[in-house]
Structure formats: structure tokens, C-alpha cells
Amino acid sequence: MKLEELGQFLLSIILFSQLDYVWWIFPALILIPDLSMIGYLVNPKIGAWLYNFFHHKLVAVTILILGFWLNNSLLNLAGVILFGHSALDRSFGYGLKFNDNFKNTHLGWIGKKG
């Protein structure tokens, strides 16, 4: 599974290379989706919802397709960044969150339980 996610991350780099942005924009923005963790300051339910929204690949692909359909480079960029970030996260074992605890993900528990 990790190789599949790394392949998707490489795909995001290839897709980014087709956009009209300078190369350093990709590494500068790749961690921006993690700002969604701010929802955990409110409570785990809101934190999980926000995190999952900004780390869901269907959301990323939908934004990317919308960007291509509307010929909107900013939407294209957002879709590529969201997709690449989600793939990179999953390659490190960070999955979508359940709303009871940040460490409880669809890929299993992060770190030592307890």
C-alpha cells in the first residue's frame, strides 16, 4: 500500500509539472492541508471532520477536475496539492481520522496505544 501511495505522490508531482507555476510552489504548499488539524482545538469530532475533508482524495480529484473543466489554474493547483499531500500522508501511515481520537485512523492506530 505504501508503494501505491508513493506512486500517487509521484503522480501529483507530474501533474504539478504540467501547471504554470514555478517549481518551489509545490514544496512550499505541500504541508498546507495539515492546517486543517486546527479543528482539534475545538474538539475531536470537528477536528476529524476538517482533517478528513482536506485529506480525502475524492475531494482533491473533484477540485482538480473542476479546475480543468473551468480552466482555473488555482483550482488545479489546489487539487494537485491536496491529492499529493494525502498520498504522502498515507505513505507514512497517516489515514483518515475517526472522531474519537486523532491517532485512530482508517489505517490503524498511530503510535503506541494508551
PDB file of all heavy atoms in Angstrom, residues 72-92:
ATOM      1  N   ASN A  72      -9.162  26.725 -14.629  1.00  0.00           N
ATOM      2  CA  ASN A  72      -8.793  27.567 -13.495  1.00  0.00           C
ATOM      3  C   ASN A  72      -7.524  27.008 -12.862  1.00  0.00           C
ATOM      4  O   ASN A  72      -7.548  25.966 -12.206  1.00  0.00           O
ATOM      5  CB  ASN A  72      -9.946  27.592 -12.480  1.00  0.00           C
ATOM      6  CG  ASN A  72      -9.681  28.505 -11.330  1.00  0.00           C
ATOM      7  OD1 ASN A  72      -8.661  28.417 -10.663  1.00  0.00           O
ATOM      8  ND2 ASN A  72     -10.634  29.401 -11.074  1.00  0.00           N
ATOM      9  N   SER A  73      -6.412  27.689 -13.043  1.00  0.00           N
ATOM     10  CA  SER A  73      -5.122  27.175 -12.579  1.00  0.00           C
ATOM     11  C   SER A  73      -5.031  27.100 -11.056  1.00  0.00           C
ATOM     12  O   SER A  73      -4.340  26.243 -10.513  1.00  0.00           O
ATOM     13  CB  SER A  73      -3.976  28.024 -13.136  1.00  0.00           C
ATOM     14  OG  SER A  73      -4.028  29.336 -12.640  1.00  0.00           O
ATOM     15  N   LEU A  74      -5.728  27.987 -10.348  1.00  0.00           N
ATOM     16  CA  LEU A  74      -5.700  27.937  -8.888  1.00  0.00           C
ATOM     17  C   LEU A  74      -6.409  26.684  -8.359  1.00  0.00           C
ATOM     18  O   LEU A  74      -5.923  26.040  -7.417  1.00  0.00           O
ATOM     19  CB  LEU A  74      -6.324  29.201  -8.302  1.00  0.00           C
ATOM     20  CG  LEU A  74      -6.104  29.433  -6.820  1.00  0.00           C
ATOM     21  CD1 LEU A  74      -4.611  29.437  -6.465  1.00  0.00           C
ATOM     22  CD2 LEU A  74      -6.743  30.739  -6.395  1.00  0.00           C
ATOM     23  N   LEU A  75      -7.540  26.326  -8.958  1.00  0.00           N
ATOM     24  CA  LEU A  75      -8.223  25.082  -8.578  1.00  0.00           C
ATOM     25  C   LEU A  75      -7.370  23.868  -8.937  1.00  0.00           C
ATOM     26  O   LEU A  75      -7.314  22.901  -8.179  1.00  0.00           O
ATOM     27  CB  LEU A  75      -9.596  24.981  -9.247  1.00  0.00           C
ATOM     28  CG  LEU A  75     -10.699  25.866  -8.685  1.00  0.00           C
ATOM     29  CD1 LEU A  75     -11.967  25.742  -9.515  1.00  0.00           C
ATOM     30  CD2 LEU A  75     -10.969  25.544  -7.232  1.00  0.00           C
ATOM     31  N   ASN A  76      -6.714  23.913 -10.094  1.00  0.00           N
ATOM     32  CA  ASN A  76      -5.805  22.823 -10.477  1.00  0.00           C
ATOM     33  C   ASN A  76      -4.712  22.654  -9.427  1.00  0.00           C
ATOM     34  O   ASN A  76      -4.409  21.540  -9.000  1.00  0.00           O
ATOM     35  CB  ASN A  76      -5.158  23.088 -11.840  1.00  0.00           C
ATOM     36  CG  ASN A  76      -6.116  22.976 -12.986  1.00  0.00           C
ATOM     37  OD1 ASN A  76      -7.148  22.323 -12.896  1.00  0.00           O
ATOM     38  ND2 ASN A  76      -5.791  23.627 -14.083  1.00  0.00           N
ATOM     39  N   LEU A  77      -4.117  23.758  -9.035  1.00  0.00           N
ATOM     40  CA  LEU A  77      -3.058  23.725  -8.030  1.00  0.00           C
ATOM     41  C   LEU A  77      -3.579  23.162  -6.712  1.00  0.00           C
ATOM     42  O   LEU A  77      -2.947  22.298  -6.102  1.00  0.00           O
ATOM     43  CB  LEU A  77      -2.482  25.126  -7.822  1.00  0.00           C
ATOM     44  CG  LEU A  77      -1.414  25.255  -6.740  1.00  0.00           C
ATOM     45  CD1 LEU A  77      -0.181  24.427  -7.099  1.00  0.00           C
ATOM     46  CD2 LEU A  77      -1.056  26.719  -6.537  1.00  0.00           C
ATOM     47  N   ALA A  78      -4.728  23.642  -6.260  1.00  0.00           N
ATOM     48  CA  ALA A  78      -5.304  23.157  -5.005  1.00  0.00           C
ATOM     49  C   ALA A  78      -5.571  21.657  -5.063  1.00  0.00           C
ATOM     50  O   ALA A  78      -5.256  20.917  -4.115  1.00  0.00           O
ATOM     51  CB  ALA A  78      -6.591  23.917  -4.688  1.00  0.00           C
ATOM     52  N   GLY A  79      -6.129  21.182  -6.161  1.00  0.00           N
ATOM     53  CA  GLY A  79      -6.401  19.756  -6.310  1.00  0.00           C
ATOM     54  C   GLY A  79      -5.137  18.920  -6.285  1.00  0.00           C
ATOM     55  O   GLY A  79      -5.081  17.873  -5.629  1.00  0.00           O
ATOM     56  N   VAL A  80      -4.113  19.368  -6.987  1.00  0.00           N
ATOM     57  CA  VAL A  80      -2.842  18.632  -7.026  1.00  0.00           C
ATOM     58  C   VAL A  80      -2.199  18.607  -5.642  1.00  0.00           C
ATOM     59  O   VAL A  80      -1.702  17.565  -5.198  1.00  0.00           O
ATOM     60  CB  VAL A  80      -1.881  19.249  -8.073  1.00  0.00           C
ATOM     61  CG1 VAL A  80      -0.472  18.719  -7.914  1.00  0.00           C
ATOM     62  CG2 VAL A  80      -2.394  18.971  -9.473  1.00  0.00           C
ATOM     63  N   ILE A  81      -2.210  19.725  -4.949  1.00  0.00           N
ATOM     64  CA  ILE A  81      -1.609  19.789  -3.608  1.00  0.00           C
ATOM     65  C   ILE A  81      -2.372  18.888  -2.638  1.00  0.00           C
ATOM     66  O   ILE A  81      -1.759  18.120  -1.880  1.00  0.00           O
ATOM     67  CB  ILE A  81      -1.552  21.246  -3.094  1.00  0.00           C
ATOM     68  CG1 ILE A  81      -0.568  22.073  -3.931  1.00  0.00           C
ATOM     69  CG2 ILE A  81      -1.199  21.288  -1.609  1.00  0.00           C
ATOM     70  CD1 ILE A  81       0.877  21.616  -3.868  1.00  0.00           C
ATOM     71  N   LEU A  82      -3.697  18.961  -2.646  1.00  0.00           N
ATOM     72  CA  LEU A  82      -4.486  18.106  -1.756  1.00  0.00           C
ATOM     73  C   LEU A  82      -4.252  16.627  -2.055  1.00  0.00           C
ATOM     74  O   LEU A  82      -4.094  15.815  -1.142  1.00  0.00           O
ATOM     75  CB  LEU A  82      -5.978  18.441  -1.874  1.00  0.00           C
ATOM     76  CG  LEU A  82      -6.418  19.779  -1.301  1.00  0.00           C
ATOM     77  CD1 LEU A  82      -7.867  20.063  -1.665  1.00  0.00           C
ATOM     78  CD2 LEU A  82      -6.223  19.815   0.205  1.00  0.00           C
ATOM     79  N   PHE A  83      -4.222  16.273  -3.326  1.00  0.00           N
ATOM     80  CA  PHE A  83      -4.004  14.883  -3.721  1.00  0.00           C
ATOM     81  C   PHE A  83      -2.604  14.414  -3.314  1.00  0.00           C
ATOM     82  O   PHE A  83      -2.434  13.354  -2.712  1.00  0.00           O
ATOM     83  CB  PHE A  83      -4.199  14.735  -5.236  1.00  0.00           C
ATOM     84  CG  PHE A  83      -4.071  13.324  -5.713  1.00  0.00           C
ATOM     85  CD1 PHE A  83      -5.111  12.422  -5.539  1.00  0.00           C
ATOM     86  CD2 PHE A  83      -2.916  12.893  -6.340  1.00  0.00           C
ATOM     87  CE1 PHE A  83      -4.988  11.113  -5.975  1.00  0.00           C
ATOM     88  CE2 PHE A  83      -2.792  11.589  -6.785  1.00  0.00           C
ATOM     89  CZ  PHE A  83      -3.835  10.701  -6.606  1.00  0.00           C
ATOM     90  N   GLY A  84      -1.604  15.211  -3.626  1.00  0.00           N
ATOM     91  CA  GLY A  84      -0.229  14.850  -3.293  1.00  0.00           C
ATOM     92  C   GLY A  84      -0.013  14.746  -1.798  1.00  0.00           C
ATOM     93  O   GLY A  84       0.639  13.815  -1.315  1.00  0.00           O
ATOM     94  N   HIS A  85      -0.561  15.688  -1.054  1.00  0.00           N
ATOM     95  CA  HIS A  85      -0.409  15.666   0.403  1.00  0.00           C
ATOM     96  C   HIS A  85      -1.066  14.425   0.996  1.00  0.00           C
ATOM     97  O   HIS A  85      -0.478  13.764   1.864  1.00  0.00           O
ATOM     98  CB  HIS A  85      -1.004  16.928   1.024  1.00  0.00           C
ATOM     99  CG  HIS A  85      -0.931  16.920   2.513  1.00  0.00           C
ATOM    100  ND1 HIS A  85       0.172  17.375   3.190  1.00  0.00           N
ATOM    101  CD2 HIS A  85      -1.810  16.477   3.444  1.00  0.00           C
ATOM    102  CE1 HIS A  85      -0.028  17.214   4.488  1.00  0.00           C
ATOM    103  NE2 HIS A  85      -1.227  16.675   4.664  1.00  0.00           N
ATOM    104  N   SER A  86      -2.268  14.110   0.548  1.00  0.00           N
ATOM    105  CA  SER A  86      -2.974  12.939   1.075  1.00  0.00           C
ATOM    106  C   SER A  86      -2.219  11.655   0.780  1.00  0.00           C
ATOM    107  O   SER A  86      -2.107  10.775   1.641  1.00  0.00           O
ATOM    108  CB  SER A  86      -4.388  12.866   0.483  1.00  0.00           C
ATOM    109  OG  SER A  86      -5.130  13.993   0.869  1.00  0.00           O
ATOM    110  N   ALA A  87      -1.680  11.543  -0.419  1.00  0.00           N
ATOM    111  CA  ALA A  87      -0.899  10.352  -0.775  1.00  0.00           C
ATOM    112  C   ALA A  87       0.362  10.261   0.078  1.00  0.00           C
ATOM    113  O   ALA A  87       0.716   9.181   0.568  1.00  0.00           O
ATOM    114  CB  ALA A  87      -0.552  10.370  -2.262  1.00  0.00           C
ATOM    115  N   LEU A  88       1.031  11.381   0.273  1.00  0.00           N
ATOM    116  CA  LEU A  88       2.249  11.389   1.086  1.00  0.00           C
ATOM    117  C   LEU A  88       1.930  11.006   2.532  1.00  0.00           C
ATOM    118  O   LEU A  88       2.631  10.186   3.132  1.00  0.00           O
ATOM    119  CB  LEU A  88       2.907  12.772   1.023  1.00  0.00           C
ATOM    120  CG  LEU A  88       4.285  12.894   1.653  1.00  0.00           C
ATOM    121  CD1 LEU A  88       5.285  11.969   0.970  1.00  0.00           C
ATOM    122  CD2 LEU A  88       4.763  14.336   1.574  1.00  0.00           C
ATOM    123  N   ASP A  89       0.866  11.582   3.080  1.00  0.00           N
ATOM    124  CA  ASP A  89       0.446  11.228   4.443  1.00  0.00           C
ATOM    125  C   ASP A  89       0.191   9.732   4.569  1.00  0.00           C
ATOM    126  O   ASP A  89       0.643   9.092   5.515  1.00  0.00           O
ATOM    127  CB  ASP A  89      -0.837  11.978   4.823  1.00  0.00           C
ATOM    128  CG  ASP A  89      -0.581  13.234   5.612  1.00  0.00           C
ATOM    129  OD1 ASP A  89       0.583  13.659   5.694  1.00  0.00           O
ATOM    130  OD2 ASP A  89      -1.557  13.795   6.139  1.00  0.00           O
ATOM    131  N   ARG A  90      -0.541   9.173   3.623  1.00  0.00           N
ATOM    132  CA  ARG A  90      -0.882   7.751   3.702  1.00  0.00           C
ATOM    133  C   ARG A  90       0.348   6.863   3.532  1.00  0.00           C
ATOM    134  O   ARG A  90       0.419   5.785   4.104  1.00  0.00           O
ATOM    135  CB  ARG A  90      -1.958   7.415   2.688  1.00  0.00           C
ATOM    136  CG  ARG A  90      -3.246   8.166   3.000  1.00  0.00           C
ATOM    137  CD  ARG A  90      -4.494   7.373   2.781  1.00  0.00           C
ATOM    138  NE  ARG A  90      -5.680   8.136   3.111  1.00  0.00           N
ATOM    139  CZ  ARG A  90      -6.205   9.107   2.376  1.00  0.00           C
ATOM    140  NH1 ARG A  90      -5.645   9.475   1.258  1.00  0.00           N
ATOM    141  NH2 ARG A  90      -7.301   9.715   2.761  1.00  0.00           N
ATOM    142  N   SER A  91       1.332   7.336   2.780  1.00  0.00           N
ATOM    143  CA  SER A  91       2.560   6.546   2.638  1.00  0.00           C
ATOM    144  C   SER A  91       3.313   6.478   3.968  1.00  0.00           C
ATOM    145  O   SER A  91       4.079   5.549   4.201  1.00  0.00           O
ATOM    146  CB  SER A  91       3.460   7.114   1.532  1.00  0.00           C
ATOM    147  OG  SER A  91       4.067   8.313   1.932  1.00  0.00           O
ATOM    148  N   PHE A  92       3.075   7.445   4.851  1.00  0.00           N
ATOM    149  CA  PHE A  92       3.679   7.439   6.187  1.00  0.00           C
ATOM    150  C   PHE A  92       2.768   6.801   7.234  1.00  0.00           C
ATOM    151  O   PHE A  92       3.102   6.768   8.413  1.00  0.00           O
ATOM    152  CB  PHE A  92       4.036   8.863   6.634  1.00  0.00           C
ATOM    153  CG  PHE A  92       5.205   9.446   5.907  1.00  0.00           C
ATOM    154  CD1 PHE A  92       5.064  10.602   5.158  1.00  0.00           C
ATOM    155  CD2 PHE A  92       6.459   8.843   5.954  1.00  0.00           C
ATOM    156  CE1 PHE A  92       6.141  11.151   4.480  1.00  0.00           C
ATOM    157  CE2 PHE A  92       7.541   9.387   5.287  1.00  0.00           C
ATOM    158  CZ  PHE A  92       7.379  10.540   4.540  1.00  0.00           C
TER     159      PHE A  92
END
